Amino acid sequence: MQTNLLMKYFYKTIFFVFLIAITAGNISGQRTKIKLNEGWRFMRYKANADKLIYDVRPEIKEVNDSKVADAKPDEAVKIEAKEQVLKAWILPTANDFIKDPSQKHVPPAGNPVADFPFIKSDFTDNTWERISLPHDWAINQAFYEGDKPEVGGGMGRLPSQGVAWYRKKLNISATDKTKIIYLDIDGAMSYSMVWLNGHLIGGWPYGYNSYRLDLTPYLEVGNDNQLAIRIDNPNHSARWYPGGGIYRNVWLSKVAPVHVAQWGTFITTPEISATEATINLSLQITNKANTSQKVEVKTEIYVLDKSLKLIGKAVASFPTESISIKAGENYEQGKTLKLKNPKLWGAYTTQQPNLYLARTRLFSNGKVIDQYDTQFGIRKIEFHPTKGLLVNGEKIKIQGVNQHHDLGALGAAFNVRAAERQLEMLRELGCNAIRMAHNPPAPELLDLTDKMGFLVIDEIFDSWERKKTPHDFHLIFPDWHEPDTRSFIRRDRNHPSIIAWSFGNEVGEQYTDVEGAKIAKKLHDIVHEEDPTRPASASQNFAKPDMPFSKEMDFMSLNYQGEGIRDAPAYLHLKGGIRTSPLYPAFQKAFPDKMIVSSETASALSTRGSYVFPVATENSAPVSDGVGGNPVTKEVSAYELYTAQFGASPDKVFATQDRHPYVAGEFVWTGWDYIGEPTPYYSARSSYSGMIDLAGFKKDRYYLYQARWRPELPIAHILPHWNWANRVGEITPVHVFTSGDEVELFLNGQSQGRKKKAAFEYRLRWDEVKYQAGVLKVIAYKNDKIWAEEVVKTTEKASKIQASADRSIIKADGEDLAFITVKITDKNGLTVPDANHKVYFSIEGMGEIVATDNGNPADLVSFSSHERQAFNGLALVIIRAKKGKVGKMKLHIKADGLEATSIELSSKIQ
């Protein structure tokens, strides 16, 4: 105890002297932000982790990893701490995001774990792994296999659970002695706790939120400083793959004592016309010196080009103001200007995503002491009850998808190029909107949606007080729901792509009547306190129009209820779960002044290129063994008729939405496959619900949606493939997805009939075709004119390998990636759709193989393997250039019985 008191006195003394130095000296010196991703040491316990816990957790007695996704959430298990926990020292990190001063947290006296070796500067960590951030400790590891894995299919069968440490030395130069030094962590999964020079300085339990810690009081200027971060990622904490570790960027921010606060600007555009826009700026400035300070504040507006560079001089300026800020306080101001002839931010595809930058500068004695840039867009968003979504006065049908946060074989470790690739393929599909399921994304993802013109529903929670898994967010909801929500809104609210906030997904409080509605209202009001300009809602898969829960929403955000749940003939035998008829009319009648959108639709399931016979005669059916599902291979038929128990086929969803044109649109579950939640086969590793598989290869369903979402694009897509040597003479149905209105099918030159789409029909079916090898051809018509043609051939024997890269030149920054598609082909260059050869990869030169995949949800070979079995003719290799190394790299690809190939790329310095 005496040692702790002496250390506390020492740190306070050092900080006081530090502040005296700040006050006595000049407070000049502009803001610098340094990416702190290199040079970390990492160690994950194999067993017997330390006891430095945030809080105790309930004992898990029984786990059902594969319970249906719309199962009713449970009440929380009450527990009491019987040992010392560190929560009391972590909670004060949240204080800036707690409105009521009486509810803010005061840390206990002393430093609770000062003697733990990993937090000390003299601890030797040379045997620890050297890594760079962002880092997902589980993604390159072996999958758990078997019937009772430690981590089940729901969380992706990867070892994301456990406790790990990250350590890094920080050298703070004497030139920074007058600065305030912050550590900014964009995301750490989860229960992160941070020590600096042996002192516990804070943390944040929720793994998806970004947060900041002030390092200044504990820094030794001019010396090495030891940073240590503990991560504790519990098993059974999610319904999908969470990843493990510090999986987003970490930054060191150096600022003058007087500076723009964290996420300290909020720009709104309440009035917009073709000739003028009103721009409001809310600005928060903080003073961390120990005396009052006078500064001059100036904010100018610049136009950004498509590469986000400034175009010319400032186009407008807010009034300059001189202010005085008392020591230790924040100063808030609001300003307004009129901008002539604004360039509006708009949605893909009919509008342009024009962007501006507001540059705020603080001056002291005529010198710039801080510069803070805010990227924003000028746009008008309206949620209309019958017209749907209006963007700048134009009706935009929401053609959206849900996206989880992992990046396939790269795991949770965020990578800008990988995320951009996902969005590029979704934009090609015709998708114009993303729902962030079910957590805040990496900040850079929202930068991309701003730049590319996607509409976004930004979401914060998958659970509140009631639990979906034993160790999910419900454990920390009472302490953290307010700071998590406020920080989430403040971080993201300047992104023009965000059109609405979601503060909950299918939460158990839908079932608790008035009590659940009270929590919903509390969260709704917090959102509006932070951002009164956007509507807020929580998605509902159970709450009905007459329930209190629904009344607390600004717009109706419905999961599956619009098209009905378990209500079609093929679903009537199912037991358990929610059952309801289509509810669009009931919600529209109950809330005639509120917009309705389907925040989750379909939950259709399929494995790319796999087909199971016989084929359902219904246009929507739940998958089961032998009915669309193959339990041996763990494949789901790609006829795109099969769904989760609570789901519906695209055909059924389209028809329901077309019958109710006041519905603003949909967010399909999902755009891409994701790791975890592998319904219906929980012995697999990843989901079946995407239009694009985990490797980034398009499923047949992609073309069904593209035909609907891009009606101007000539499309005629045939399924299945036509390699069925074991089905000669057997019925092998042929389906066609087209943006045309009429199609004629030919088999080996013989017409199988010409069919025209009927009302509320979205595919054309020839269900009596008998297989014979040869050529399938379709001619699609639109308005009686030839619109598109497509040919599918029976291939020759597999004999070659083809490789193609999404880009041939990549940056040598250690982050940029190239995605190599590998195809198994016949001598004519046709992809052999049933080829499953094992393929071997090696690389020479200035590149390295990051990961491989094939899109098969049941493939449990590690993503880090350089050997990968092709799946239905395809495989993927992800390549990264060695950091700082410029030159050529050559990927060699071979397989037994096939002609080998190679592909050459090069790297450059940006």
Side-chain angles (χ1 to χ4, degrees), residues 546-594:
D546 59 346
M547 293 182 177
F549 190 92
S550 300
K551 295 177 174 61
E552 302 302 332
M553 307 301 149
D554 293 333
F555 63 98
M556 295 297 108
S557 179
L558 305 182
N559 284 9
Y560 309 107
Q561 296 198 83
E563 60 264 26
I565 302 174
R566 296 181 177 87
D567 72 310
Y571 299 77
L572 296 180
H573 69 284
L574 299 175
K575 297 179 180 180
I578 299 165
R579 190 181 299 276
T580 184
S581 58
L583 286 179
Y584 285 142
F587 273 98
Q588 206 272 338
K589 182 178 181 180
F591 302 101
D593 58 340
K594 294 184 179 182

Side-chain angles (χ1 to χ4, degrees), residues 268-535:
T268 57
T269 54
E271 297 177 11
I272 301 171
S273 71
T275 58
E276 186 177 76
T278 300
I279 303 177
N280 291 341
L281 168 66
S282 175
L283 180 64
Q284 185 182 79
I285 301 168
T286 189
N287 178 13
K288 289 215 167 186
N290 67 334
T291 62
S292 296
Q293 300 290 329
K294 292 182 179 180
V295 296
E296 187 177 65
V297 185
K298 184 176 183 178
T299 301
E300 297 175 310
I301 305 296
Y302 295 84
V303 178
L304 295 175
D305 65 17
K306 291 184 178 180
S307 62
L308 304 183
K309 295 181 180 178
L310 299 185
I311 299 176
K313 298 180 180 180
V315 295
S317 298
F318 289 97
T320 301
E321 183 179 0
S322 296
I323 62 173
S324 179
I325 313 177
K326 293 181 179 180
E329 292 191 0
N330 292 328
Y331 180 90
E332 296 185 8
Q333 61 177 200
K335 295 182 178 182
T336 299
L337 63 74
K338 303 287 187 180
L339 179 67
K340 299 296 183 182
N341 303 314
K343 295 183 177 181
L344 302 187
W345 184 93
Y348 169 83
T349 64
T350 61
Q351 303 176 349
Q352 292 297 315
N354 296 303
L355 292 167
Y356 288 86
L357 183 132
R359 174 160 288 170
T360 300
R361 290 182 292 170
L362 308 184
F363 296 83
S364 175
N365 298 322
K367 295 183 178 180
V368 176
I369 61 169
D370 192 27
Q371 178 174 298
Y372 188 92
D373 289 346
T374 307
Q375 188 174 290
F376 71 100
I378 300 171
R379 86 286 188 273
K380 184 178 182 181
I381 303 293
E382 299 174 78
F383 278 36
H384 195 279
T386 56
K387 296 179 182 178
L389 179 69
L390 304 178
V391 181
N392 302 322
E394 178 186 353
K395 179 177 179 178
I396 301 292
K397 190 73 171 181
I398 295 174
Q399 298 175 171
V401 300
N402 286 270
Q403 286 286 94
H404 268 304
H405 77 301
D406 76 73
L407 295 169
L410 301 173
F414 188 77
N415 180 277
V416 171
R417 174 55 199 154
E420 182 182 48
R421 173 181 177 247
Q422 288 194 341
L423 293 177
E424 286 171 349
M425 291 188 67
L426 290 171
R427 188 161 66 176
E428 180 189 350
L429 169 68
C431 171
N432 63 11
I434 309 291
R435 176 174 174 243
M436 302 298 175
H438 303 289
N439 43 259
E444 294 85 358
L445 182 55
L446 293 172
D447 292 339
L448 288 171
T449 57
D450 287 348
K451 182 179 178 181
M452 299 175 74
F454 283 92
L455 306 166
V456 172
I457 290 184
D458 207 1
E459 190 161 80
I460 177 70
F461 300 131
D462 187 51
S463 59
W464 297 346
E465 290 182 344
R466 296 175 74 86
K467 62 183 172 72
K468 296 180 180 179
T469 60
H471 288 159
D472 67 17
F473 184 77
H474 82 280
L475 295 176
I476 54 177
F477 183 88
D479 290 324
W480 287 90
H481 66 274
E482 181 187 0
D484 271 317
T485 304
R486 292 191 190 279
S487 66
F488 155 70
I489 301 292
R490 290 182 202 175
R491 191 198 73 169
D492 292 351
R493 62 189 177 184
N494 286 314
H495 288 281
S497 56
I498 297 174
I499 60 171
W501 306 107
S502 174
F503 51 87
N505 171 67
E506 299 182 357
V507 294
E509 284 72 11
Q510 292 176 97
Y511 296 82
T512 59
D513 201 56
V514 174
E515 292 305 311
K518 287 180 180 178
I519 298 174
K521 176 174 173 51
K522 183 177 182 180
L523 290 169
H524 170 276
D525 291 351
I526 290 172
V527 171
H528 274 292
E529 287 173 3
E530 297 296 329
D531 178 14
T533 70
R534 293 178 178 91

